[in-house]
Amino acid sequence: MRRVAADWRTAPLSPADRALAAYADKLTCAPGAIAAGDVEDLRRHGFADRAIHDAAQVAAYFNYINRVADGLGIDAEPGVEAWERPGGRGR
Amino acid sequence: MPFIRTVPPGEAEGELARHYRAALERAGRVWNVVALMSPSPRALAASMGLYRTLMHGASPLSRGRREMIAVVVSATNHCVY
């Protein structure tokens, strides 16, 4: 998970996990650019409607909570990794 | 320090105190992101409810996969697009 946090593009992910990561990354940086082809890519890796829905919701939730945390100046939790916190990150 | 005043667990009353207690029972601590929403206990409850539903509820995506998505998003949010 540390490798994913550093750079998911070079982390040793399965093709299916890589497809999920790419989708989450695009939804985060360029949500307006998401198109049918991006979802088709998830289907090609074996994800059906419910899984795709859940992936979108989880990615969107963390975008939401990141902004709440950053907007209000959250303190980092001492001694805890980013992925162990519900907010995802902190200073 | 956060940019707004947050209610420390020891000072919480009423609805907020209930939410803090529930958070303590579930996670053993009141996460900073929970305390950050202390100005609106209703928003806190809704937000944490959604979090639990998405991250701990049933899903064809394993918890590990969902956590991976969360890590990708949080790391990517360091990007300037």
Side-chain angles (χ1 to χ4, degrees), chain A residues 36-86:
Chain A
D38 297 298
V39 172
E40 274 312 303
D41 194 54
L42 291 177
R43 289 197 198 286
R44 267 197 300 278
H45 286 93
F47 298 108
D49 278 6
R50 174 63 195 270
I52 293 163
H53 163 273
D54 290 0
Q57 286 265 19
V58 169
Y61 181 87
F62 277 85
N63 273 283
Y64 147 74
I65 202 67
N66 283 170
R67 283 159 177 74
V68 170
D70 287 345
L72 300 177
I74 197 171
D75 288 329
E77 311 269 358
V80 177
E81 297 291 355
W83 56 86
E84 292 172 319
R85 292 185 243 110

Side-chain angles (χ1 to χ4, degrees), chain A residues 1 4-5 8 13-14 16-18 20-21 24-25 28-30 47 50-51 53-55 57-78 80 83-89 91, chain B residues 1-6 27 29-34 36-37 39 43-44 46-55 57-81:
Chain A
M1 200 66 91
V4 174
W8 65 265
L13 298 175
S14 69
D17 281 342
R18 185 169 304 279
L20 274 181
D25 181 89
T28 298
C29 275
F47 298 108
R50 174 63 195 270
H53 163 273
D54 290 0
Q57 286 265 19
V58 169
Y61 181 87
F62 277 85
N63 273 283
Y64 147 74
I65 202 67
N66 283 170
R67 283 159 177 74
V68 170
D70 287 345
L72 300 177
I74 197 171
D75 288 329
E77 311 269 358
V80 177
W83 56 86
E84 292 172 319
R85 292 185 243 110
R89 70 197 203 107
R91 287 184 181 78
Chain B
M1 283 294 291
F3 306 142
I4 59 166
R5 187 186 180 273
T6 58
R29 63 199 296 169
V30 177
W31 293 106
N32 286 343
V33 73
V34 170
L36 209 54
M37 292 190 269
L44 169 60
S47 184
M48 289 299 112
L50 180 57
Y51 170 82
R52 283 196 306 280
T53 298
L54 293 179
M55 297 305 284
S59 172
L61 300 178
S62 69
R63 283 235 209 153
R65 269 193 165 146
R66 286 178 267 175
E67 282 165 13
M68 181 203 69
I69 290 170
V71 169
V72 169
V73 168
S74 300
T76 299
N77 271 320
H78 288 283
C79 89
V80 176
Y81 192 73

